[in-house]
Amino acid sequence: MFPPKTMITAASIAAAALLLTACTADASETHTGLSLDLDNLATTTTAGTEPVDEVKWNLPYEPMSLDPIFGFNYAENTVTANLCESLVRMTPDLSTEPGLATAVAQPDDTTLVYTIRDGVTFWNGNPLTADDVAYSLQRQVGETATSYFASYFVNVDSVEVSGPSEVTVKLKQPDVLFAQAMGTAAGAIVEKAAAEAAGEAFGTPDGGLQCTGPFQLDAWNSGRSIELTANPGYWDPALAPKVQRLSFSFIADESTAVNALRTGEVDGQFFYLPPAGLSQLENGDDVTTTYGKSLVFWTMITTNLTGGLADERIREALSLAIDREGLAKVVFQGAAVPATTLAGPDYWGYESDAFATAYEEFSADVDLERAKQLVAEAGAPAEPIVLAVQGSSAVHEQTANLIQAAGQAIGLTIESKVIPVEQFGNLYFDESAREGLDGFFTTNYGNFADPLDVYTMFHTADSHNYSGWDGADAPLAEARATTDPAERAELVIEAQEQITKGLSWIPLAYEPVTLVQNTRISGATASFAYLYAPWAATIGGVK
Amino acid sequence: MSVGSYLLRRTGGLVLVLLVTSFLVFGLLYLAPGSPLAFILGPRGGTPEQIAMVTEQYHLDDPFVVRYAAWLGDILRGDLGYSIVYRQDVSALISGRVGTTLALVSMAAIIIAVVGIGAGTFAALRGGWGDQLTSTFAAVGLSTPSFVIGVALISVFAVGLGWFPTFGSGTGGVDTLWHLTLPAIALSVASAAYLARITRAAVLEESGREHVQTATVRGLAPQRIVRHHVLRNSLIPIVTVLGLTIATLIAGAVVIENVFALDGLGSLLVRAILQRDFAVVQAVILVLVVAFVVVNAIVDFLYTFIDPRIALGSRQ
């Protein structure tokens, strides 16, 4: 996944830096105290009980589209999660429950039959039909489909209406990722008639949107705000909104956003990186900060296996020398957890005991002696190792500094090369942009609680496997086709071991969701599920 | 020169400037690394088939000249193009935001004119500590970047005292004026300081002129002398600087709009550049260039009113 964060960090740095200098003393005092416990991350916040006229929420930037198939990023999904519902609903604890499909039958490994819920209507009053469901999925199938979720549809052969309220999906080969993706925006259902009428404009400020969620799109004032109102005809009484109006602003500048939260002009925001003003928020009386279960991680990607990081021993040495505790504390202001694998404990949606046991084998402890020994064995590369750093991002630069220091301690020369924020995104898909680089940093996330979703990116056929690392192709391919959870877990664990030892991506930190709410309200979903399920439907006023 | 031929010449100049600018903007953006593909394809990057299809659909591989010519042709037909990142017409994107920038720049221009001319005149006529104080303020104002002033204003007047909102452009009318007050002040500080300096120098120079001294010796009321002899004659440099300043405000708004999260052309431009959204960048820059040229034309026009001896269109 790529640079959801690039533009945002860029816009905010200058002012954020100022703010940081302004309250350094303050921050150092309060932040030594904040340390996150992986087992204690929140999933929900206390339900608000009172009706509320309006809740103002901030997005880190303006969405590019509200059409769910173009929603694979923080701001977009934060909004669409309340508007468009998926076949399967992600719950706050990252498991799933029935959504627009009341049941999913799997007569064989390559057939999925979805029973569509009766009595559901779109905002315009039209009933939800199997036709709408089939259409919503079909438009993501095919090699040239532009859906951001297209990779989950590669094995789909056909999507057909097979009964009055039944849709059957045929797969070319078994694919466990497809079924799970139906709980993300990939499985979100839109009205066929509305989407066809609007064409390319569907989901833009001009084109409107037509879904079934607890909130309906009232207006998108381009550049200014997105306004939602409660959907009076919503089918699920458990998630009937207590909030009448939900309006989104787009404050990209971090310090401006923090100020707006402090003054109460904005009631809440989800942060994917801890903002520089985190301590000000935590110390404020008028807001609450909650850290939630999350699938987001911070990592260093090796871009090629020919340069300074070619030798696995060098990568291992570097990984052993990195002070992840220090990184979490300093770079992330305590709002992160040292990572030993890429997919952390929040990913264990099945067979969690097996995953936990496998996880125990990895450690984030620094071992300089072993690292030096590995460098001595492999021989330090003649050329410096070059890491790309995103221009004007404090998190990138500080991480690079830390890794440079780690390298120095064990005899590796590491240089950082600043890539302007406007070009950083090219690293993710343009090979020529990665020339001369050995690695770069990124935040990344899988979409549901299955480590396989992350590890699939290490298959040689995946467009994210930049270095062509091929150490786990067999278990990855087999796991994707294995529907039995216990068997799949075994294969995923095997792949995880290869991937974690191969270190073509070096895991650095797990980033929790940082949810900030004004004290006048409560109830927003605190976990990563906020990207795919109606997180605002549970918000209410606090007496 | 008649008004008719003046306008004709001005329009000709404008078209030429636009042509050159458009070529430069298009060319530079074209040469710069990066493409909108990253944003069209989305976070998972896309398969080779998708990349090929999108490239073809939006003519991303066409040679420079072909794309430039197509774009110019569209502009001539009044079509500002299509934002491939937002899947929207550029004219819709711009028209929704131009009002905010216009209001912001207008407010800042008024503040600059009032404060700059006022402070400069005060410094020149009062002299002594008044002059010292004004000059010191002017020096500080000139050397502080506008975003620093913006952040400071927010923390004192919005967060600290709670008098003003921290962001946004309000819901229209008085609410918008209220929302734009801090941004307009932040935007105008440096320019007001500069104008104050220019005004001070101009007023001092005029005060020393023979006809002013003659008027003083003849015993005319000091206020009348200041108004009719000193200020009137100082107006040419003041208006020139004011005009240029307002034109540059349009560029300054880019920064301020980001700090205050305003939905103006500046913040649109910044995002469009980051996303390589060619059509939007080109259209916004065109709008800014037109505004710049128009403001300059107005200044030229004003000269003839201030001093009828200056012929229309001459560069005295």
Side-chain angles (χ1 to χ4, degrees):
Chain A
M1 161 112 22
F2 97 131
K5 344 22 251 217
T6 50
M7 74 188 84
I8 307 102
T9 16
S12 53
I13 291 313
L18 266 173
L19 211 109
L20 195 65
T21 28
C23 38
T24 325
D26 191 20
S28 61
E29 276 165 32
T30 49
H31 270 294
T32 42
L34 174 71
S35 71
L36 293 172
D37 177 0
L38 259 190
D39 303 323
N40 259 329
L41 291 175
T43 54
T44 56
T45 51
T46 318
T49 49
E50 306 301 304
V52 184
D53 283 341
E54 182 173 23
V55 165
K56 293 177 178 167
W57 207 264
N58 185 51
L59 302 172
Y61 57 92
E62 183 172 10
M64 285 192 235
S65 174
L66 292 182
D67 185 339
I69 68 169
F70 299 124
F72 202 142
N73 218 331
Y74 299 100
E76 284 80 358
N77 289 122
T78 303
V79 182
T80 50
N82 290 300
L83 295 172
C84 299
E85 293 180 287
S86 301
L87 287 174
V88 176
R89 186 193 279 163
M90 198 179 280
T91 56
D93 64 359
L94 306 185
S95 60
T96 55
E97 63 185 23
L100 290 183
T102 49
V104 188
Q106 205 154 359
D108 59 68
D109 276 358
T110 53
T111 310
L112 290 140
V113 182
Y114 292 92
T115 309
I116 311 306
R117 189 179 292 277
D118 277 336
V120 177
T121 56
F122 289 100
W123 305 322
N124 58 15
N126 295 342
L128 166 74
T129 65
D131 240 11
D132 296 310
V133 173
Y135 169 80
S136 300
L137 300 187
Q138 267 159 4
R139 65 185 191 139
Q140 305 183 71
V141 180
E143 283 181 345
T144 52
T146 46
S147 166
Y148 289 2
F149 295 88
S151 61
Y152 293 125
F153 290 82
V154 288
N155 291 322
V156 174
D157 191 34
S158 69
V159 181
E160 266 153 29
V161 175
S162 52
S165 41
E166 193 184 277
V167 170
T168 300
V169 178
K170 288 269 188 202
L171 301 173
K172 294 176 212 160
Q173 60 189 70
D175 183 348
V176 295
L177 294 183
F178 173 80
Q180 296 184 85
M182 292 302 102
T184 71
I189 305 306
V190 299
E191 192 193 31
K192 181 181 180 183
E196 284 184 340
E200 248 214 335
F202 191 63
T204 68
D206 303 330
L209 192 68
Q210 200 59 245
C211 291
T212 62
F215 288 91
Q216 58 193 44
L217 181 62
D218 198 25
W220 181 350
N221 308 307
S222 177
R224 179 177 299 227
S225 68
I226 293 176
E227 312 283 343
L228 315 189
T229 45
N231 170 11
Y234 187 57
W235 59 272
D236 185 356
L239 289 184
K242 288 185 268 302
V243 175
Q244 275 313 302
R245 293 173 54 79
L246 179 61
S247 67
F248 293 95
S249 54
F250 323 123
I251 309 176
D253 187 288
E254 225 175 54
S255 68
T256 307
V258 167
N259 284 330
L261 284 162
R262 288 172 69 199
T263 56
E265 282 168 81
V266 161
D267 293 313
Q269 176 168 354
F270 290 104
F271 290 93
Y272 50 79
L273 283 177
L278 187 63
S279 62
Q280 290 175 311
L281 287 172
E282 288 197 328
N283 294 341
D285 295 332
D286 301 326
V287 297
T288 56
T289 308
T290 312
Y291 296 96
K293 269 167 93 84
S294 153
L295 303 178
V296 185
F297 55 91
W298 177 237
T299 178
M300 187 189 121
I301 295 181
T302 306
T303 49
N304 69 73
L305 293 180
T306 53
L309 292 171
D311 195 311
E312 193 176 306
R313 289 169 294 182
I314 295 295
R315 298 200 295 276
E316 190 186 347
L318 186 58
S319 177
L320 281 170
I322 296 171
D323 176 10
R324 290 176 176 77
E325 288 283 351
L327 179 108
K329 197 172 260 177
V330 176
V331 180
F332 288 90
Q333 306 170 59
V337 180
T340 50
T341 57
L342 289 169
D346 289 340
Y347 276 91
W348 307 336
Y350 57 100
E351 302 294 316
S352 51
D353 290 343
F355 281 114
T357 312
Y359 183 75
E360 293 295 315
E361 282 182 36
F362 305 106
S363 152
D365 293 344
V366 178
D367 187 345
L368 287 182
E369 287 318 306
R370 172 92 187 110
K372 282 180 191 161
Q373 195 186 331
L374 283 165
V375 174
E377 274 174 32
E383 298 287 313
I385 296 163
V386 183
L387 303 179
V389 169
Q390 183 186 305
S392 66
S393 161
V395 169
H396 275 254
E397 278 169 22
Q398 291 173 7
T399 305
N401 289 344
L402 216 123
I403 291 187
Q404 245 168 326
Q408 206 168 16
I410 56 172
L412 295 177
T413 313
I414 298 175
E415 284 175 4
S416 57
K417 182 180 173 192
V418 177
I419 308 258
V421 58
E422 53 268 37
Q423 289 166 32
F424 200 81
N426 297 327
L427 295 180
Y428 296 86
F429 73 97
D430 183 356
E431 205 177 327
S432 63
R434 296 192 292 265
E435 263 169 40
L437 299 174
D438 292 303
F440 65 92
F441 302 105
T442 188
T443 44
N444 205 311
Y445 59 78
N447 290 292
F448 36 81
D450 183 345
L452 180 61
D453 190 34
V454 169
Y455 294 136
T456 294
M457 291 191 281
F458 289 85
H459 194 283
T460 37
D462 196 276
S463 62
H464 287 77
N465 191 350
Y466 312 117
S467 63
W469 184 84
D470 59 0
D473 280 3
L476 284 174
E478 207 183 331
R480 189 161 180 169
T482 303
T483 43
D484 180 76
E487 278 174 48
R488 177 156 96 248
E490 240 173 76
L491 291 159
V492 173
I493 285 167
E494 186 188 334
Q496 170 172 272
E497 187 163 326
Q498 301 305 326
I499 289 163
T500 310
K501 287 186 174 158
L503 286 170
S504 80
W505 294 18
I506 299 180
L508 297 172
Y510 304 126
E511 300 172 43
V513 170
T514 303
L515 162 65
V516 177
Q517 290 180 100
N518 192 289
T519 46
R520 83 181 181 96
I521 56 163
S522 184
T525 301
S527 78
F528 184 83
Y530 85 90
L531 289 178
Y532 297 125
W535 54 267
T538 41
I539 294 182
V542 174
K543 253 190 222 166
Chain B
M1 194 188 285
S2 74
V3 174
S5 64
Y6 170 76
L7 285 180
L8 204 69
R9 223 179 80 184
R10 268 287 166 181
T11 318
L14 175 62
V15 169
L16 195 70
V17 169
L18 285 181
L19 205 66
V20 173
T21 324
S22 72
F23 185 80
L24 284 178
V25 169
F26 205 95
L28 289 175
L29 211 59
Y30 192 85
L31 288 177
S35 99
L37 268 178
F39 289 91
I40 307 167
L41 294 170
R44 288 256 154 144
T47 60
E49 291 84 6
Q50 282 179 324
I51 293 176
M53 198 200 74
V54 173
T55 307
E56 155 119 33
Q57 186 183 358
Y58 297 111
H59 308 289
L60 296 176
D61 264 355
D62 282 1
F64 171 73
V65 182
V66 174
R67 288 178 68 183
Y68 180 66
W71 176 71
L72 266 190
D74 285 346
I75 297 278
L76 289 180
R77 286 198 304 274
D79 177 4
L80 284 179
Y82 180 76
S83 160
I84 55 182
V85 170
Y86 289 98
R87 297 178 172 85
Q88 255 187 299
D89 279 336
V90 174
S91 48
L93 282 170
I94 287 183
S95 62
R97 289 161 169 87
V98 81
T100 302
T101 302
L102 201 66
L104 173 66
V105 169
S106 308
M107 273 181 83
I110 293 170
I111 295 173
I112 291 167
V114 172
V115 174
I117 298 177
T121 313
F122 169 77
L125 298 181
R126 177 66 182 73
W129 65 265
D131 192 9
Q132 287 285 320
L133 197 69
T134 316
S135 299
T136 311
F137 272 124
V140 173
L142 257 177
S143 53
T144 316
S146 59
F147 75 88
V148 173
I149 296 171
V151 171
L153 287 175
I154 292 178
S155 44
V156 175
F157 295 103
V159 178
L161 297 169
W163 293 351
F164 291 96
T166 51
F167 77 99
S169 53
T171 51
V174 180
D175 190 49
T176 296
L177 284 185
W178 183 48
H179 274 79
L180 290 183
T181 304
L182 293 186
I185 292 174
L187 185 56
S188 59
V189 167
S191 303
Y194 185 55
L195 188 62
R197 280 192 171 179
I198 298 293
T199 306
R200 176 183 171 274
V203 169
L204 278 180
E205 193 186 327
E206 288 301 325
S207 307
R209 287 275 171 94
E210 226 166 72
H211 68 275
V212 176
Q213 284 168 356
T214 311
T216 317
V217 172
R218 281 172 56 198
L220 289 178
Q223 273 149 2
R224 193 183 151 81
I225 297 176
V226 168
R227 238 179 302 139
H228 286 263
H229 296 284
V230 179
L231 279 185
R232 175 134 200 187
N233 286 316
S234 318
L235 273 181
I236 292 284
I238 293 175
V239 167
T240 308
V241 169
L242 188 59
L244 283 176
T245 312
I246 292 173
T248 54
L249 282 185
I250 300 168
V254 171
V255 176
I256 287 301
E257 283 178 13
N258 261 326
V259 172
F260 287 90
L262 301 177
D263 53 331
L265 291 181
S267 43
L268 177 66
L269 179 64
V270 169
R271 275 204 75 184
I273 291 175
L274 293 183
Q275 296 163 342
R276 288 284 180 276
D277 200 349
F278 291 78
V280 176
V281 177
Q282 286 144 4
V284 172
I285 290 183
L286 275 195
V287 170
L288 299 187
V289 170
V290 171
F292 193 91
V293 174
V294 167
V295 169
N296 273 312
I298 293 173
V299 171
D300 266 13
F301 214 73
L302 280 180
Y303 285 163
T304 57
F305 286 99
I306 297 164
D307 189 342
R309 288 170 303 175
I310 299 177
L312 193 56
S314 76
R315 296 269 177 183
Q316 214 166 326

